Amino acid sequence: MKISNPRRIVGSNAERTRLHNRQVVLGHVRERQPIGRAEIARISGLSTQAVSNIIAELEEDRLLIEAGRQSEGRGLPVLKYRLNADGAVALGIEVRPDAMFGALVNLEGETLFTTREALPDNAPSTVVSVARRIRASALEGRCGKTQKILGAGVVMPGPFGKVGISGAGQSALHGWEDSDPVAVFEEALDMPVVVENDATAAAVAERVRGVATGLRTFCFIYFGAGLGLGVVAEGEVQRGAFGNAGEIGHVIVRPGGRLCACGNHGCLETYASRIAARTRLAGAGIEIGSASDIENLYRAGNAHLMEWIDEASGPLSQAVGLIENLFDPETVILGGAMPDAVLDHLIASLDLPGGSVAARAGRATPRVQRGSCGRLTAALGGAALVIHDTITPRIAAKT
Ligand SMILES: [Zn+2]
């Protein structure tokens, strides 16, 4: 699987400038709404005339609406604008080896629709037909004359491209090795598509509406089929040179330890992941499918599941220490396809290393905490990425 052109910016210079200025105006409106033209012009450095033209265009596109006039001391009350929350929507789709999740969010990031569909196999043709079904049910009765669809964020487990850990066992999507997911989903969904890995999308979801709201630098350990790491540093997601940064699951935590599907021995994923839990339980004759199977076992106090949590906590503690020393995050978030109760138990049983840059007095946030977006976190993140791309300038100075 290869991403041909992630987060592309197309068009002539003039077109790019126009799109950039639209993002600048939308970004200022989101941060300071309700806000008037003169104030946007002053903050952005654009001329008042340019701002007026952009606002007219954004009103036409139903992304902005008037928010009434407000007096600002002298002179006539000023006409203010705000985002038209329901004027536009974005679709998020997460593809996991055994299921697909869909979410529809509006311009303010509010969730309008969610769904889960079982996935019988990972062949692109199967995934595409389920994606079309999700699109149809998400948009049914919406997006007519009053709602614009901005695009879709499709979330898949990495790694992207043929690398040394491609196709590593149960966490990989099989059959996508030679496909370009951006092209496949743009054709299937008939809308612009961005493709992102699950851990990064989950981190974005937590920043837009979850426990990372207001944080600028944090990490997200994502329990998908395998284990991924999303890194947000200074408000920007970190992708690496080929979109594969954060393959924490294949970091070796026990040299000479268990054989991993990637060929290494002692990878984190063989101890602390759904695959590890599934393997542990299968050894005791217990088959698990969805996260709710794990939840039921946890509620019943299943001894094998408890032993797995004990076993996972050491390697996971070591990984958190490693992440802290590498990225100096404000916090490390755990989330994804694990029941909240299991994540809470895992967090409570961590024995975090004292020798870490994160072990300091006066912390404003805990070193490790659970995410709040639940099992839909990556699908919501996919949609949030589209919203983020619409209203955040990509090359402007941060505000
Ligand atoms: Zn591995």
Side-chain angles (χ1 to χ4, degrees), residues 9-29:
I9 300 172
V10 293
S12 64
N13 281 342
E15 174 67 3
R16 283 205 294 267
T17 303
R18 192 184 71 87
L19 286 173
H20 173 73
N21 288 344
R22 277 170 63 108
Q23 290 167 330
V24 168
V25 170
L26 282 169
H28 287 309
V29 173

Side-chain angles (χ1 to χ4, degrees), residues 226-229 246-252 260 262 266-270 272:
L227 201 69
L229 179 71
E247 282 293 339
I248 191 78
H250 299 285
V251 164
I252 294 168
C260 179
C262 75
C267 286
L268 178 61
E269 199 166 285
T270 64

Side-chain angles (χ1 to χ4, degrees), residues 147-223:
Q147 264 177 339
K148 178 188 173 76
I149 177 126
L150 297 169
V154 176
V155 178
M156 311 175 85
F160 300 119
K162 282 190 174 156
V163 296
I165 53 175
S166 293
Q170 303 165 56
S171 67
L173 289 182
H174 296 285
W176 285 82
E177 291 76 8
D178 297 315
S179 301
D180 174 352
V182 174
V184 168
F185 285 106
E186 285 201 336
E187 200 200 325
L189 299 172
D190 190 26
M191 64 178 81
V193 164
V194 294
V195 171
E196 190 54 85
N197 78 53
D198 44 18
T200 301
V204 171
E206 291 292 343
R207 186 157 192 256
V208 171
R209 288 198 86 81
V211 296
T213 307
L215 300 187
R216 294 190 63 79
T217 300
F218 65 95
C219 296
F220 190 117
I221 299 178
Y222 184 80
F223 286 80

Side-chain angles (χ1 to χ4, degrees), residues 224-246:
L227 201 69
L229 179 71
V231 177
V232 176
E234 282 296 294
E236 299 286 339
V237 300
Q238 305 298 306
R239 297 193 169 81
F242 304 97
N244 288 328

Side-chain angles (χ1 to χ4, degrees), residues 278-338:
R278 185 179 287 180
T279 306
R280 185 79 177 69
L281 291 163
I286 304 167
E287 292 298 323
I288 52 165
S290 65
S292 58
D293 291 345
I294 304 178
E295 178 144 25
N296 292 338
L297 288 172
Y298 183 78
R299 290 198 189 289
N302 182 278
H304 302 286
L305 183 62
M306 298 304 168
E307 280 168 25
W308 169 73
I309 293 176
D310 278 352
E311 209 175 78
S313 71
L316 198 56
S317 303
Q318 201 180 335
V320 169
L322 174 79
I323 291 165
E324 289 173 340
N325 282 336
L326 283 175
F327 298 106
D328 193 15
E330 291 165 88
T331 192
V332 176
I333 301 167
L334 257 56
M338 268 295 172

